[in-house]
Amino acid sequence: MTSREQLLASTFVSLADTLVADFDVIDFLHTLATRSVELLDADAAGIMLADAHGGLHVMASSTEEARLLELYELQNNEGPCLDCYRTGRPVARDDQSAMRSSWPAFTKELQGLGFHSAQALPMRLRAETIGALNLFRLEPGQLSPADLRVGQAMADVATVGLIQERAIAASEHLATQLQAALSSRVQLEQAKGVLAQRTGLGMDEAFQVMRAYARSHNRRLSDVAAQIIDGTLGDQQVRKGSKPRPGAQPHT
């Protein structure tokens, strides 16, 4: 196995490994950018990712020049990376004349920083595009078909890893929210019992009193429940603060 093949294999392993406990998305994307330069006929690379609202952000770059070019794209709403993200397809132009026709301001900035070619590969999984990989060259012309296949494969693997990591993070966040909701529910039941015992109210009445008090004082019900349990909110305060509405339905 040649050194390039070894580096390529190592890169795919690195891009697929997003399930580690200390996963760092910035370091992960920096790896994609630097390895793109090492493995492809590119002199610089940059990566943009979309936020939850579809807005693109510069997330990693192999050089300061690449970072500046990507920022320029965003600030001027012009360039291959933006077109690539919007279409979900690779974007390139055959020569500088075609580049100037498509992206006049960007092409001028590109040349001012010493580059003569730019193209972008989508970071996508099926119909979902989460960003784009920008590749810059000092020489005119596009990447070879072989390099394009390797570059797209790296972008695809990185995308799968990122989406997988996001799904796990979202699942863990949901589990935390559910656990918090369950804990709050237990606390509410306990507070209902405490208030019912102290005041002689029924359990449903006690809940309605707690709920009405929380609403009238713009408080979270779980906070009111906690204060009833620890005694910092007195029974008479709760009852005086709000009375259960006539005909109120029992809480379930």
Side-chain angles (χ1 to χ4, degrees), residues 10-221:
S10 172
T11 298
F12 279 113
V13 170
S14 298
L15 295 178
D17 188 15
T18 60
L19 301 183
V20 294
D22 58 347
F23 176 71
D24 184 337
V25 66
I26 300 300
D27 183 70
F28 174 83
L29 293 171
H30 183 72
T31 296
L32 175 59
T34 55
R35 293 294 175 85
S36 295
V37 175
E38 293 170 355
L39 289 164
L40 309 175
D41 186 19
D43 298 289
I47 297 166
M48 291 187 195
L49 287 187
D51 59 25
H53 305 290
L56 284 173
H57 302 270
V58 177
M59 299 298 294
S61 55
S62 63
T63 66
E64 178 63 12
E65 289 79 8
R67 187 184 75 86
L68 292 174
L69 278 171
E70 298 226 299
L71 287 174
Y72 190 86
E73 284 191 73
L74 290 177
Q75 291 166 358
N76 292 273
N77 195 31
E78 177 188 297
C81 203
L82 298 180
D83 290 355
C84 179
Y85 172 70
R86 290 163 180 162
T87 63
R89 300 177 63 84
V91 171
R93 297 293 182 268
D94 292 331
D95 52 40
Q96 291 189 15
S97 176
M99 289 177 61
R100 283 192 295 272
S101 177
S102 297
W103 317 300
F106 169 78
T107 302
K108 181 178 180 180
E109 185 72 12
L110 178 82
Q111 293 172 330
L113 289 171
F115 297 103
H116 291 86
S117 174
Q119 60 192 104
L121 301 175
M123 296 185 67
R124 68 188 176 199
L125 177 62
R126 301 185 182 92
E128 182 177 7
T129 302
I130 65 170
L133 168 64
N134 248 348
L135 299 167
F136 306 105
R137 303 180 67 240
L138 296 175
E139 298 297 324
Q142 301 181 34
L143 294 178
S144 68
D147 268 10
L148 280 176
R149 287 192 295 270
V150 172
Q152 188 63 67
M154 289 196 297
D156 289 346
V157 171
T159 302
V160 171
L162 287 171
I163 290 177
Q164 179 176 249
E165 194 275 335
R166 287 180 180 181
I168 292 172
S171 176
E172 291 175 348
H173 180 62
L174 178 59
T176 300
Q177 287 182 318
L178 290 174
Q179 185 57 51
L182 288 172
S183 298
S184 295
R185 181 70 185 187
V186 170
Q187 191 177 49
L188 287 175
E189 294 300 322
Q190 185 180 356
K192 278 166 51 178
V194 169
L195 189 61
Q197 182 181 29
R198 291 174 181 171
T199 61
L201 294 171
M203 293 289 279
D204 291 331
E205 285 183 295
F207 176 80
Q208 294 295 344
V209 168
M210 288 168 48
R211 188 182 186 200
Y213 179 90
R215 288 187 170 188
S216 65
H217 289 76
N218 197 27
R219 300 278 307 282
R220 292 193 345 161
L221 189 55

